[in-house]
Amino acid sequence: MRTAVALGSNLGDRLENLRAARKAIADLANAKPPILSSAIYETEPVDCEPGANKFLNAVVEFDYESDPVRLLEQLIRIEEALGRARGHLKNVSRTVDIDLLYCGDRTIEDGRLHLPHPRLHLRKFVLQPLADIRPGLTLPGQTKTVRQFLNELKDSGEVVRFMDNW
């Protein structure tokens, strides 16, 4: 099933952090091509501590043929391997943040995992890169496409294209 994750980084070598995360995801046993990567966007931090650096954000989509909860566990291990500590405060600066956005048409709501991501349609820093690769996508439980949600958020913060091919 087509699956997407959002990548973000605002500490250290932000670009290298995103590249390392994308490679680690592509190397997962159940992640299969085609692997699509959005452009990278630079964005202001949202609800972070005062003085936080800007984020680099991207979205990666791939085929994944296993349990989404297992994928979430693998993504957490990738974050940890790239320097993100567990038990961190919410919305603080981080070397890497990987959010599972959707797994095909699966809808999951439990204590650990919510699919599709419940705030995806409200986050321009996720919608803009997702629109690069899937502008016509309508997620389960929604009636609007990614592009329509993005157009509604036009004035909700600056998202600047940073790099196309990474």
Side-chain angles (χ1 to χ4, degrees):
M1 73 191 108
R2 293 304 289 172
T3 299
V5 296
L7 307 177
S9 176
N10 78 328
L11 289 178
D13 186 337
R14 301 173 303 161
L15 178 58
E16 186 52 39
N17 294 339
L18 296 188
R19 286 177 172 153
R22 181 180 63 178
K23 181 180 183 330
I25 291 165
D27 288 346
L28 292 173
N30 293 318
K32 305 293 182 203
I35 297 174
L36 304 177
S37 299
S38 71
I40 294 176
Y41 292 85
E42 188 170 55
T43 63
E44 293 294 330
V46 175
D47 298 328
C48 280
E49 73 278 6
N53 295 327
K54 291 182 178 182
F55 274 83
L56 291 185
N57 297 101
V59 169
V60 176
E61 187 190 66
F62 49 95
D63 275 327
Y64 186 77
E65 297 305 330
S66 189
D67 178 39
V69 173
R70 180 167 183 236
L71 176 58
L72 177 64
E73 292 166 356
Q74 292 173 313
L75 297 175
I76 289 168
R77 284 196 297 278
I78 291 169
E79 286 179 331
E80 291 170 342
L82 295 176
R84 182 168 181 181
R86 287 293 97 187
H88 57 80
L89 297 174
K90 187 174 178 151
N91 296 328
V92 296
S93 293
R94 45 213 175 262
T95 53
V96 69
D97 184 36
I98 306 173
D99 287 333
L100 184 53
L101 300 178
Y102 57 85
C103 289
D105 60 1
R106 300 280 306 264
T107 300
I108 299 174
E109 288 194 36
D110 67 27
R112 287 189 75 193
L113 181 60
H114 297 275
L115 290 178
H117 191 289
R119 293 173 304 285
L120 182 158
H121 65 288
L122 303 172
R123 294 178 165 177
K124 191 171 183 180
F125 62 89
V126 174
L127 286 171
Q128 182 63 64
L130 183 55
D132 284 354
I133 57 178
R134 295 292 301 269
L137 176 66
T138 302
L139 293 165
Q142 301 291 344
T143 58
K144 297 177 184 173
T145 67
V146 167
R147 175 67 63 201
Q148 288 169 320
F149 279 123
L150 178 61
N151 289 340
E152 292 175 359
L153 294 177
K154 271 199 179 307
D155 298 323
S156 67
E158 187 173 27
V159 176
V160 177
R161 196 175 201 101
F162 182 80
M163 177 181 288
D164 287 326
N165 298 312
W166 51 288

